[in-house]
Amino acid sequence: MGFFAPLFLLGAIAVALPFWLHRLQTQSSLRQPFSSTMLLETTEQQVHVQKKLKYLVLLSLRVAVLLILALVFAKPFLPRPAAAPASGQEGTYLVLIDTSASMSRDGVFDRAVTAAYGAIESVPAGALIQVLDADDDVSRVSELSADKSMHRSAVSALGVSALRLDFGRMMTTIDRLAESLPPPVRLHVISDFQDSAMPARFADLVSSQVAEMIPHSVGMLPRFNRRIEYVRDNFDEVDIGIVAGAGAGATAARIELLLNDEAIDARVLSETGRATLQFSGLRPDVGDNRLTVRLDNDDDLAFDDQWFHVIENVPPAPIPLITLNDRGLPVKYLSAALESDAAYRVEPMLIGDADFRTLSRYRWAIVDDLASLDGEQAAALATFVQQGGSLFAFVGERAAGAERLPISGHVVRPTGVGAGPDEFMTVGQLDTRHPVLSRTEGWFNVNIRRNIAIDPLAGDQVLMRLENDVPLLIERRLGKGRLLMLTAGLDNRWNDLPIRPVFVGFIIEAARYLSGVDRVTKSFTAGDTLTLSLVEGASGQVLDPEGNAVLSLAGTTRAQQIKLNKPGYYEVYTPQEGYIVAVNTDPRESDLNTVATATLERWVRAMGGQAPTDGRVTSEFDPEPLELWHALIFLLALLVIGESMLGNANLTPLRKTLSSSH
Amino acid sequence: MAALQASQSSARELLRPEVLASLKNLDLVARSVVEGFLIGLHRSPTFGFSQEFAEYRAYSEGDDPRFIDWNVFARTERTYIKRFLGDTNSHLMILLDASASMGFGGPPVSKLRYGQFLAASLSFLASRQHDAVGCMVFDEQVRDYRAPSTRAGRLQSVLHCLDSAEARTGTKFDKPFEKFREQITRRGLVAVISDFYCDTTNLLAGVRPLAWQGQDVVLFQVLDDQELTPDFGGNVLLEDLESGRAVEVAPQFMRETYPERMRAHIDSLATAAAGIGADHVLVSTSDSLDQALRSYLMFRQRRQ
């Protein structure tokens, strides 16, 4: 047994203290009844040092606690015995080849393939081999077999991807994979060992299932490289960030801008370091526009010389707002909230002038007071909803005198919230799972002075209730469409919702929900996944940058998580709309700095191998020692509990004595 | 002569507390003590205690008709009372302290048991002299009370009252003495048996009115040897039987200071008793009972 901090063993000297304490006697234990203490006088307590120790069990516990405490601080360990492979069993050899984007440098992947051949040849005859490739995931390239020719063929078929390798995630996968392989498992890692691929925690690099790791570093010293770091657009302007690293062979670069595959501008950049180029006067078409930035220069990496970007030019969607007063407060509040998002434009429609037949042109509409509709208008709106439209309705003061709400059919109760100026309710329950409410906060600060009390009908989904359990926000399916109804008006006499921060977010989320269009991200990194949700039995289709359909016909009827592996533009078609997303290689793959030699040596040692020498490592198992402090802490806890109980038991008679003497 | 000496020696054995401790019946204890005491007293020139005829006197209302000499009545048709020596037609009231501190002592007997022996013996002795005998057992309150009487069976009642006393709670003299004063109107002898662990001033406040009332008071202070000359090997935590208070004392204190304090306490009690005309008799639980009885008779004789 060894100690990581042996000086703490000096703490064991403290065991002298309980020995001393257990020799002290401060109180006589001889207690006798006496007729009267009237004539007696308390003698001053005397501390005696006894020759004999008292309470030996308690003393033993206390000494043990102190000794173990000193041991815990000294961090004892046991060296783990070396695990030799079982005689007659060769185990498994994994040959892992890094196929991440950085391996696409000139000559690097060829060296990797050569190293893989060498690794396969070095495996003893009869041992099992499996070839793996690793980018953002680890994949089996060949079956587990001792047939070396088969593995060589598998290696020759490998190519470089546009994805990023993370060593931490790689080792986690290897660890799981090695569990099912015949031990001992030895791992050949053939990679350029990018420093940017290292995980945040060193512990993530260590696998308990792999007996030895043999690294093959095939990277070369980084040469000059210039890369595009980012592209940001402001509709007709675009900023391009370019980074040129140090290194020999710096050359000027030509930056070319292509909008929808047409070259629109170009510049020459000769400076190295970080630079930002601004291009303006872009005239994107309506809808999604492909903006491709190309860097034409002679540098180390090719994949980071172009960047794919999508410029959105979507006109705001008109939203009919059906109202009795187009200059009223509800119209102002709703217009201000909706038009805070450039995607929406409010079109007020006076009820008397509105032609409800035109509603079919819109996806959804708003009514600021549902009870202001007459029977014919209500029927026209109901038909609009039945046929798939959505309606966002507020129930204002006109509903106070109605018996039943139009379209929804809810019966109006005579009593809502009290009409007194100082009486108000707040929100009591909130269904935060609903998309309209999931991203909004601050509902509990809203004061509701008046609302229309209704009882929910069968099929209603009550999304929000007041403190008195009266529904405040209800969603109801009507035919193919849906009705979202707030049982309060947007008059500041009824509530202070419009002046609360939650209002704008709520209206925008309701607009997205009712329009059926959610904001989608248009920029991805290679390896990300695109989610296609199922709407009305279809999820949609995706075309990859080469124009190939990603999903089969059956796949278009299921919700999908599509991995975006290739840099370029993916065309996405959903039941609601079609759009384009741009995919770029992770910029970290352009960082060609390699893992420090000391770090790599530490990694190899942690895995049970020797430090790499000339790119090749021989094996000798030297596992980490077994630390004992965990067990000692547990034992210490038990001893402390025992000491407390025993000490308490021993002190009880003394306490009785003391309490009776006072 | 030898037979007489043997008889006296055997009788004195009966007065020793360790012998009496083996007797469970207090009546038997009293008889044994008194008989033994009287045998030893037989030849004593000091005390003329016997049933010898003294005089006749005219019967008056209130006299016990058992003592009327019917032979004289037959001859003279007058009622005369026949009086004997030592028969003073007095009454004895025994006040026995049964507080918790009286439970201390022994072996062979605790202070309370010794007090019970003493009280029973006094009662028996008084009864033989045709004195009315009563008793009161007290601690903080009057626990039991028998009014003095010469009626047949009174002695048994008094002995039962004494025998049933058990040591418990604290001691207070004021209330029991006040109750006693309310009950007793006739003059007589009052024997207080206690360890008198109390403030002397307070005790006198209770006893003094009795003296003023004309009662003749004798204080029997019963103490154990361990109280008089304590012997503890080391530090000891002594717990007060009445208050529960515990005091840790060193052996040196118990050897040197405590006996001085005890002696001063006894002296102050004796001085105070003398000041009000009462007698103070200190008895140890290891003493034979004849000394206490002798003190009683001397006191009784002085009163006559």
Side-chain angles (χ1 to χ4, degrees), chain A residues 383-402:
Chain A
T383 304
F384 164 69
V385 177
Q386 294 277 353
Q387 291 176 347
S390 296
L391 186 64
F392 190 11
F394 297 85
V395 183
E397 57 186 308
R398 283 177 175 271

Side-chain angles (χ1 to χ4, degrees), chain A residues 537-548:
Chain A
S539 59
Q541 181 57 282
V542 177
L543 301 181
D544 69 9
E546 280 89 38
N548 300 317

Side-chain angles (χ1 to χ4, degrees), chain A residues 41 97 100 169 193 325 415 468 529 567 610 632 643 648:
Chain A
E41 186 178 281
I97 303 165
S100 65
R169 202 186 305 170
F193 287 101
N325 179 11
T415 54
N468 58 0
T529 53
Q610 280 190 336
L632 288 175
E643 193 272 343
N648 188 52

Side-chain angles (χ1 to χ4, degrees), chain A residues 229-286:
Chain A
E229 191 176 28
Y230 63 85
V231 174
R232 296 190 192 119
D233 81 272
N234 187 18
F235 184 60
D236 59 350
E237 288 182 354
V238 63
D239 291 337
I240 301 169
I242 293 175
V243 179
T251 57
R254 181 172 182 273
I255 293 102
E256 188 179 22
L257 232 63
L258 291 89
L259 184 63
N260 296 323
D261 298 329
E262 285 186 15
I264 56 168
D265 205 346
R267 284 185 204 169
V268 175
L269 181 69
S270 55
E271 299 91 37
T272 57
R274 199 174 293 273
T276 302
L277 300 180
Q278 191 172 63
F279 293 85
S280 57
L282 275 67
R283 293 179 182 172
D285 297 336
V286 173

Side-chain angles (χ1 to χ4, degrees), chain B residues 195-231:
Chain B
D195 51 11
F196 295 109
Y197 277 121
C198 62
D199 183 39
T200 311
T201 313
N202 291 341
L203 173 67
L204 291 180
V207 176
R208 191 175 289 120
L210 293 176
W212 290 341
Q213 204 178 27
Q215 307 287 354
D216 296 305
V217 182
V218 57
L219 306 178
F220 286 101
Q221 186 175 20
V222 183
L223 293 175
D224 191 83
D225 282 349
Q226 191 71 346
E227 294 171 289
L228 293 166
T229 51
D231 181 22

